[in-house]
Amino acid sequence: DLTDTASSWWKIVLILVVVVGAPIVEEIVYRGAVQSHLQRTAGTVVALLGTAVIFAAIHMSFIEFPGLFAFAVVLGYARLRSGTLGLSIVTHMAFNAAGLVLVLVK
């Protein structure tokens, strides 16, 4: 609905927020802060799965929970393997961009 009535300028803002802003902020919060804290206090597996549960639940969509949970595990694993947030941010940006393209092109 948001994209159906949006002007060209608002679509550009939407793209910037969804493809750039949200992934950066969410990765800093979830993989940078939450996952790192849980890893120090509860271990790697609890950190990976716990952060994925929180990430999926915060999006408040029961039907999307399994997919968001799986995606969050991938992002968490990318963070663990790379040791930085860069890979999880870029992966999150690509995921959001693909979803937005599907909505805008319909």
Side-chain angles (χ1 to χ4, degrees), residues 16-33 35 55 71-72 74-80 82-98:
L16 289 174
V17 168
V18 171
V19 177
V20 179
I24 291 171
V25 171
E26 289 183 348
E27 292 310 306
I28 290 170
V29 170
Y30 295 107
R31 262 52 69 185
Q35 183 172 316
F55 176 85
F71 179 58
V74 169
L75 293 173
Y77 185 74
R79 166 72 166 101
L80 287 172
S82 69
T84 69
L85 291 174
L87 182 57
S88 63
I89 290 172
V90 170
T91 304
H92 198 151
M93 286 177 166
F95 178 81
N96 284 9

Side-chain angles (χ1 to χ4, degrees), residues 9-93:
W9 287 107
W10 280 114
K11 286 182 182 177
I12 292 169
V13 170
L14 181 66
I15 290 167
L16 289 174
V17 168
V18 171
V19 177
V20 179
I24 291 171
V25 171
E26 289 183 348
E27 292 310 306
I28 290 170
V29 170
Y30 295 107
R31 262 52 69 185
V34 175
Q35 183 172 316
S36 294
H37 174 74
L38 286 175
Q39 189 171 6
R40 285 189 306 274
T41 60
T44 301
V45 173
V46 170
L48 184 63
L49 298 179
T51 303
V53 167
I54 294 166
F55 176 85
I58 205 77
H59 286 82
M60 296 186 290
S61 175
F62 182 75
I63 195 77
E64 295 175 352
F65 185 92
L68 288 170
F69 174 80
F71 179 58
V73 170
V74 169
L75 293 173
Y77 185 74
R79 166 72 166 101
L80 287 172
R81 292 290 294 172
S82 69
T84 69
L85 291 174
L87 182 57
S88 63
I89 290 172
V90 170
T91 304
H92 198 151
M93 286 177 166

